[in-house]
Amino acid sequence: MTETLIRGRLLSFRRAPAHAADTQSFLYEDDGALLVANGIIQATGTYADIKAKAQADTIEIDHRPHLILPGLIDCHVHFPQMQVIASYAANLLEWLNTYTFPEECRFVETAHAERIATHFFDEFLRQGTTTAVAYCSVHKASADAFFAESLKRGTLMIGGKVMMDRNAPQGLLDTPQLGYDETRAVIKEWHGKGRNHVAITPRFAITSTPEQMAMTQTLAEEFPDLHIQTHLSENKEEIDFTCALYPDATDYTDIYARYRLLRKKALFGHAIHLSEREADAMADSGAVAVHCPTSNLFLGSGLFPLKAMKRRDKPVTVAVATDIGGGSSYSMFKTMDEAYKIQQLLGERLNPLESFYHMTLGNAVALDLSERIGTLEPGTDADIVVLNAAATPAMRLRMETISSLAEELFLLQTLGDDRAVVETYVAGKASKPKAEALRTEA
Ligand SMILES: [Zn+2]
């Protein structure tokens, strides 16, 4: 068994921080180390303790003075939208119809899906993100390409073949039966293969007929342990259109509730404009609201009340995500920088401990995967990110005046990007693509 000792400043959350000075909520070791073997963290502690446990031939990697955290987690992205990011549109529905749907049509071709999958994994690992929850396109080939690449990289990824059977171009439509059959085929072929997880993925109520929603309910009942992902309450025009399509439902959330899709491990992208009744229904069911700040600002969708959602008598579980390609950055630092600004506009404060909790353990808890990822606890998967808060001249200069861990994290969040990611370990293997090795294709 080849062991690796990874040395640096360890930071790993134990629970959600209660306030900006809640030092009990995390483990911090100034001269810490991890012992990694077989893709698993075997031991976590001070360098002296870990060194004493290590075998004589253990490979030692010294990342001092950098921070070592669990790999970052992104709870909502669209794998086929890498060539949609940075599209100029007035709002969600125009953006979907003008740019997104035509682009997703290209994923009927396996070669295209495989090419984009390679870029997708390169980009996420470059940003320090080791787990993403992805919508593929409606085509089974896109899910096959996504999961095959994930298997090759050894990553823990969650993905799903999108089901959609109306209100989109012909090339993007399945049928209730085809969506069901292909989702079952994707589950059979990929769920549990390597570290892959398959999610049941109706795009949203606008693009699924009641017949397809009923088939989604059947899938959800047949596979009660799988994740479910869809979109909810992103912008006003979308809400009105959706509710008109399901006139019997009380509100947008009730549409999904009627098909029994509100449950633990069900991820609802955006959920910005929920009523109190809807937020209660989310909280009661254990469903997750996935906050996508750069996307919400980019598309002008609205300001998600993150702090208020967590402060309710019945708190709603919140995850955070980039929402590529409606989102405007692959970086979880930029994502939380924008989340912070949205709370500022709402008169709330999001402290840096909370931000880093959300992109690691918080997202792992929301996914019900904290036994495996989002932490540096021994026995969990060795998905690890190494961060340098002095990665650029401007960051280096600002670091001269920084005197606490919380300040350093806030600097990383505010000025950091992929340049601050020194290394990304996937199951113990150094996996950050080098900048000079950027793929060149004829
Ligand atoms: Zn989305």
Side-chain angles (χ1 to χ4, degrees):
M1 179 169 77
T2 317
E3 276 188 348
T4 309
L5 183 153
I6 302 173
R7 184 179 189 178
R9 294 158 58 219
L10 305 185
L11 174 62
S12 176
F13 286 90
R14 299 188 176 104
R15 58 168 169 77
H19 49 79
D22 185 0
T23 54
Q24 296 303 305
S25 64
F26 58 85
L27 163 91
Y28 176 73
E29 287 291 354
D30 200 47
D31 186 7
L34 304 170
L35 198 59
V36 173
N38 298 325
I40 303 291
I41 299 173
Q42 308 289 337
T44 305
T46 63
Y47 173 72
D49 284 352
I50 300 299
K51 179 75 178 163
K53 281 184 189 152
Q55 296 162 1
D57 61 349
T58 296
I59 299 158
E60 196 167 320
I61 304 168
D62 192 350
H63 284 299
R64 286 176 302 165
H66 303 321
L67 280 167
I68 297 177
L69 275 79
L72 309 180
I73 302 171
D74 184 341
C75 283
H76 181 124
V77 306
H78 294 264
F79 153 57
Q81 293 179 11
M82 292 191 80
Q83 291 182 306
V84 175
I85 191 169
S87 291
Y88 181 69
N91 58 45
L92 171 68
L93 298 181
E94 182 193 313
W95 175 84
L96 278 173
N97 290 318
T98 311
Y99 302 102
T100 308
F101 287 159
E103 175 61 25
E104 289 195 11
C105 286
R106 299 173 67 199
F107 285 74
V108 68
E109 284 177 41
T110 297
H112 181 68
E114 286 175 346
R115 171 175 179 247
I116 299 299
T118 308
H119 285 282
F120 182 93
F121 281 81
D122 279 353
E123 189 57 43
F124 278 77
L125 296 176
R126 182 176 299 119
Q127 304 286 346
T129 300
T130 47
T131 290
V133 186
Y135 290 68
C136 300
S137 72
V138 72
H139 317 97
K140 181 172 176 292
S142 73
D144 291 340
F146 176 81
F147 285 122
E149 189 66 28
S150 176
L151 188 65
K152 204 158 94 188
R153 309 272 183 143
T155 43
L156 194 165
M157 288 282 164
I158 302 170
K161 180 212 109 75
V162 160
M163 290 181 279
M164 51 196 295
D165 67 344
R166 67 170 167 185
N167 291 321
Q170 195 57 40
L172 279 190
L173 299 182
D174 55 14
T175 63
Q177 190 63 47
L178 188 62
Y180 173 85
D181 291 344
E182 290 192 338
T183 298
R184 281 194 65 115
V186 172
I187 294 168
K188 188 158 180 282
E189 285 165 46
W190 294 110
H191 188 69
K193 195 164 188 183
R195 302 170 71 203
N196 287 330
H197 291 248
V198 175
I200 298 166
T201 310
R203 185 180 204 116
F204 64 157
I206 287 181
T207 49
S208 287
T209 58
E211 294 71 30
Q212 180 157 71
M213 295 297 284
M215 290 301 243
T216 303
Q217 177 178 350
T218 305
L219 284 166
E221 285 164 0
E222 287 174 346
F223 301 98
D225 295 330
L226 258 55
H227 293 91
I228 297 170
Q229 59 180 344
T230 191
H231 295 83
L232 170 65
S233 199
E234 183 170 356
N235 93 4
K236 295 278 166 53
E237 197 187 346
E238 171 229 6
I239 296 168
D240 292 344
F241 185 23
T242 311
C243 290
L245 291 169
Y246 289 86
D248 295 341
T250 310
D251 45 45
Y252 198 161
T253 302
D254 187 48
I255 298 170
Y256 295 126
R258 282 168 179 242
Y259 296 101
R260 308 238 178 274
L261 300 181
L262 253 61
R263 69 180 192 196
K264 248 187 122 185
K265 296 174 76 169
L267 311 168
F268 292 87
H270 309 297
I272 301 168
H273 309 282
L274 300 184
S275 66
E276 286 299 305
R277 194 212 73 78
E278 292 179 283
D280 279 348
M282 292 282 290
D284 288 342
S285 66
V288 179
V290 186
H291 179 30
C292 308
T294 72
S295 171
N296 298 166
L297 293 173
F298 185 77
L299 293 171
S301 301
L303 306 177
F304 178 78
L306 181 138
K307 294 290 282 192
M309 282 287 182
K310 291 166 44 168
R311 202 170 48 223
R312 305 176 81 248
D313 290 341
K314 291 180 176 180
V316 174
T317 303
V318 176
V320 294
T322 60
D323 189 26
I324 296 304
S328 54
S329 171
Y330 289 90
S331 167
M332 288 307 292
F333 305 136
K334 286 279 156 280
T335 298
M336 295 316 293
D337 180 37
E338 299 298 298
Y340 172 82
K341 292 174 193 168
I342 288 175
Q343 294 314 298
Q344 289 287 89
L345 286 171
L346 292 171
E348 305 268 14
R349 292 189 74 184
L350 182 65
N351 76 62
L353 293 180
E354 230 177 325
S355 285
F356 277 77
Y357 167 77
H358 272 297
M359 42 178 134
T360 56
L361 185 62
N363 274 355
V365 168
L367 296 173
D368 198 27
L369 285 171
S370 57
E371 300 289 309
R372 298 259 48 91
I373 56 172
T375 167
L376 300 177
E377 283 288 313
T380 63
D381 300 348
D383 291 346
I384 298 158
V385 64
V386 182
L387 303 177
N388 176 12
T392 67
M395 291 173 82
R396 198 152 48 242
L397 191 66
R398 180 65 177 89
M399 264 302 272
E400 289 176 8
T401 59
I402 273 181
S403 58
S404 73
L405 176 65
E407 285 179 7
E408 183 180 353
L409 295 177
F410 196 60
L411 168 59
L412 269 169
Q413 173 184 305
T414 310
L415 293 185
D417 53 33
D418 59 310
R419 293 170 294 179
V421 177
V422 176
E423 189 53 271
T424 307
Y425 291 90
V426 174
K429 189 171 147 231
S431 301
K432 183 182 179 185
K434 299 290 170 263
E436 60 272 22
L438 284 177
R439 277 158 221 281
T440 48
E441 290 166 277

